[in-house]
Amino acid sequence: MPAKKRLFLLHTMPFVMNQIIAPLEKDFLAAHPDVEIQTLLDTSLLADTMAAGRVTPSTAARLLSYVQEAERAGAALLLLTCTSMGEGMAFVRPLVEMPTLCITEPLVEEALDLGTRVGIVGTLPTSPAQIIAPLLAAAEKRGLTRDDLTIAVEVVEEAFKARGRGDTAEHDRLVSAAILELAQEHPVDSIIFAQASMSGTVHADPGVPVLKLGPSAFRAAGKLLAEL
């Protein structure tokens, strides 16, 4: 029996790992019996990125060490589930042979498929930039410029604080209000939740698709692994 391909997941929040990603893992493994999933978790990566307001060289080096460890452990692919760490992958990718995937990358493709007017709602100030960078890169590959895109951003830091207190209802209320306000004030074709921690949010219907991190990344991971 051939060995299963190893998909490594790198997390920075236990909530995301347990509440958002775990159900997706179950469905993914049922659809891909030739794959096994291994998990890495380091909350300090996000904590230090939040404190600095960016991914520092030191944090990027630690990210590299995790990717290298996964590669040495036989990973076929590593999926980073933290949007705030996304810019660190620009440092990591030239230094490893193993393919890597950021959770944001498949999602921005879905947004561009829906149109060039994109709303982004986050609960961390570092997160929207990690959506905008891959969004612009994906747009460029489609022959679009920055001027061709309309990007509206809302950051609701109080929602992140509510999540930290365990007040999910208040988190969801604040995020829901933010997407309704964004949709009312800006003509958008879609709204992206900028963090995987927001993917389980119960929210009102803003009248446009709300794209959430997770499902598109697993679909992309399945396609990449099938090609290896």
Side-chain angles (χ1 to χ4, degrees):
M1 184 175 179
K4 292 187 176 184
K5 297 175 183 177
R6 281 190 156 184
L7 169 62
F8 269 67
L9 305 181
L10 175 56
H11 303 285
T12 61
M13 289 184 68
F15 172 82
V16 170
M17 180 178 68
N18 296 323
Q19 302 298 319
I20 305 300
I21 300 299
L24 297 174
E25 283 186 35
K26 183 177 179 181
D27 292 341
F28 178 85
L29 291 174
H32 300 274
D34 61 329
V35 177
E36 67 177 32
I37 291 178
Q38 301 295 336
T39 302
L40 299 166
L41 170 68
D42 184 348
T43 58
S44 71
L45 291 172
L46 179 58
D48 293 347
T49 297
M50 289 174 59
R54 63 187 179 91
V55 177
T56 65
S58 174
T59 308
R62 283 156 51 208
L63 176 63
L64 172 62
S65 71
Y66 280 113
V67 177
Q68 289 175 326
E69 285 299 321
E71 191 171 33
R72 283 191 284 268
L77 174 69
L78 180 135
L79 170 59
L80 173 67
T81 68
C82 178
T83 55
S84 291
M85 290 300 300
E87 65 182 303
M89 277 300 184
F91 167 76
V92 167
R93 282 173 167 159
L95 302 177
V96 297
E97 294 183 4
M98 177 186 64
T100 60
L101 179 66
C102 294
I103 196 170
T104 54
E105 292 165 336
L107 193 70
V108 298
E109 296 287 354
E110 288 192 356
L112 289 172
D113 287 343
L114 291 168
T116 57
R117 302 174 302 174
V118 182
I120 301 172
V121 176
T123 63
L124 286 172
T126 53
S127 295
Q130 305 309 317
I131 299 293
I132 293 171
L135 179 66
L136 294 177
E140 184 178 0
K141 290 179 181 178
R142 297 184 182 213
L144 301 171
T145 69
R146 176 64 180 85
D147 291 339
D148 294 320
L149 302 181
T150 300
I151 302 173
V153 176
E154 286 278 346
V155 177
V156 197
E157 292 188 66
E158 289 303 316
F160 186 81
K161 295 176 184 177
R163 172 79 77 198
R165 298 192 301 270
D167 191 346
T168 301
E170 178 65 2
H171 170 277
D172 291 1
R173 185 190 69 79
L174 291 168
V175 171
S176 185
I179 65 172
L180 289 176
E181 181 179 351
L182 187 149
Q184 289 168 1
E185 294 184 356
H186 304 276
V188 293
D189 301 307
S190 65
I191 294 174
I192 294 175
F193 280 172
Q195 296 139 234
S197 61
M198 301 169 66
S199 294
T201 301
V202 178
H203 58 83
D205 180 5
V208 296
V210 177
L211 306 181
K212 302 174 183 180
L213 291 157
S216 60
F218 275 96
R219 288 194 294 271
K223 291 179 181 178
L224 286 170
L225 287 166
E227 295 170 357
L228 299 176

